[in-house]
Amino acid sequence: MSENCTHNCETCSANCSSRDKKNSLLEEQNKMSDIKNVIAVVSGKGGVGKSLITSLLAVESQRKGFKTAIIDADITGPSMPQSFGIHQRAEGNDLGIFPAKTSTGIELMSLNLLIENESDPVIWRGPVIAGAVKQFWTDVVWGDIDYMFVDMPPGTGDVPLTVFQSLPVKGIIVVTSPQELVSMIVGKAVKMAKMMNIPVLGIVENYSYFTCPDCGKQHSIYGESHIEEVAKEYGIENIAKLPINPKLAAACDKGMIELSDCKEIADLANAVIK
């Protein structure tokens, strides 16, 4: 801080650490937390399997020996607890809220762990939703976390903006599908991240193909893949093509995602989680 500091950055031209701190919108972690890496999983549109990819990345991170956590930032459509078979309510004390723990030790916070009935709708306006996501960062006692994955709602609205501004996001994983309009939709998410100076760590094309269990032939049910073209257009190095896999869907429905194996996501995790 300058010796002649007036404590009013609007009338001062000096570049000092105090100015940087005042201009930063980053929220402080809970004092009992030490989160080292934050990766957001985003999509330009809904229904592409973003929550599934978030779950699988967290599972792979935990398997690699990293202490892993998930923030379910899709406040109006939370699905993380269901994927991991967690249905009890979160608890807390004067220190803050304590996240739930999955069977393998992944720490998880979702609005479904705070409301009385997990099937009750959340009818909130955007600023309230964004505030809840901030509280998942500031008020939850996470402890020591190597990798935190944030399952984002689709699009480029209030919550993605809040996460990008309020959390020290290391990078994003973009989830998409093979449909023709994908390039435009992915472009919106990628451009938003670049505007916020956040790197794109990888892209996942979900529903990429289906392998017939009888003949072994691959069928492009949702159209031919465009992921290589999209990745090249936006300079994304790490690519994963995730096939339609009924076993993965069943594992999510039964809360047993931690028992699943997905080579495609494991390969992506090896590239971005180190």
Side-chain angles (χ1 to χ4, degrees):
M1 184 179 296
S2 170
E3 293 180 0
N4 299 319
C5 181
T6 63
H7 303 285
N8 185 351
C9 290
E10 294 180 2
T11 61
C12 176
S13 60
N15 291 319
C16 62
S17 58
S18 179
R19 172 184 293 276
D20 294 339
K21 185 175 181 181
K22 285 179 181 291
N23 288 343
S24 174
L25 296 176
L26 291 177
E27 295 286 340
E28 294 287 340
Q29 300 178 30
N30 178 281
K31 62 182 180 180
M32 304 292 290
S33 302
D34 182 14
I35 303 164
K36 300 173 181 64
N37 298 284
V38 179
I39 296 177
V41 182
V42 308
S43 66
K45 64 185 293 293
V48 296
K50 172 178 44 57
S51 296
L52 169 65
I53 304 306
T54 303
S55 300
L56 292 172
L57 284 169
V59 168
E60 291 298 332
S61 173
Q62 190 78 358
R63 286 175 179 170
K64 289 165 70 68
F66 295 111
K67 191 66 187 299
T68 304
I70 299 172
I71 285 182
D72 190 350
D74 195 351
I75 299 297
T76 60
S79 58
M80 287 291 114
Q82 175 66 37
S83 296
F84 289 91
I86 297 175
H87 301 285
Q88 74 272 21
R89 297 185 68 184
E91 298 180 351
N93 58 23
D94 292 342
L95 296 175
I97 305 168
F98 295 100
K101 284 194 177 184
T102 71
S103 60
T104 63
I106 298 171
E107 298 195 2
L108 168 65
M109 179 49 61
S110 170
L111 192 69
N112 259 17
L113 304 179
L114 299 174
I115 59 179
E116 186 172 352
N117 299 304
E118 59 183 24
S119 61
D120 288 346
V122 177
I123 308 174
W124 294 350
R125 294 192 183 274
V128 180
I129 293 173
V133 174
K134 280 186 184 181
Q135 286 184 286
F136 286 171
W137 175 258
T138 60
D139 295 0
V140 174
V141 182
W142 293 105
D144 293 329
I145 298 295
D146 295 312
Y147 280 92
M148 170 177 282
F149 295 91
V150 184
D151 181 31
M152 304 271 259
T156 55
D158 283 337
V159 171
L161 180 60
T162 295
V163 170
F164 288 164
Q165 290 182 328
S166 303
L167 276 61
V169 179
K170 175 184 178 182
I172 67 169
I173 302 291
V174 181
V175 183
T176 184
S177 64
Q179 295 164 311
E180 288 286 351
L181 77 165
V182 158
S183 180
M184 177 192 70
I185 294 172
V186 169
K188 291 179 183 292
V190 171
K191 288 175 182 177
M192 181 181 185
K194 289 185 176 180
M195 288 173 66
M196 308 296 293
N197 296 315
I198 296 173
V200 181
L201 304 178
I203 183 169
V204 178
E205 183 180 74
N206 198 16
Y207 314 123
S208 188
Y209 58 89
F210 174 73
T211 302
C212 175
D214 298 323
C215 68
K217 184 178 179 180
Q218 291 186 359
H219 300 273
S220 300
I221 295 175
Y222 290 99
E224 295 299 323
S225 174
H226 299 281
I227 191 171
E228 285 88 359
E229 304 161 26
V230 173
K232 183 178 180 181
E233 180 179 356
Y234 295 107
I236 304 172
E237 295 184 3
N238 300 307
I239 299 173
K241 290 184 177 182
L242 192 64
I244 297 171
N245 187 341
K247 291 183 179 179
L248 279 180
C252 284
D253 291 342
K254 296 177 181 177
M256 302 173 66
I257 193 65
E258 289 166 292
L259 300 180
S260 299
D261 288 312
C262 181
K263 180 183 182 302
E264 295 79 8
I265 297 302
D267 291 342
L268 178 65
N270 286 334
V272 301
I273 303 172
K274 300 177 181 178

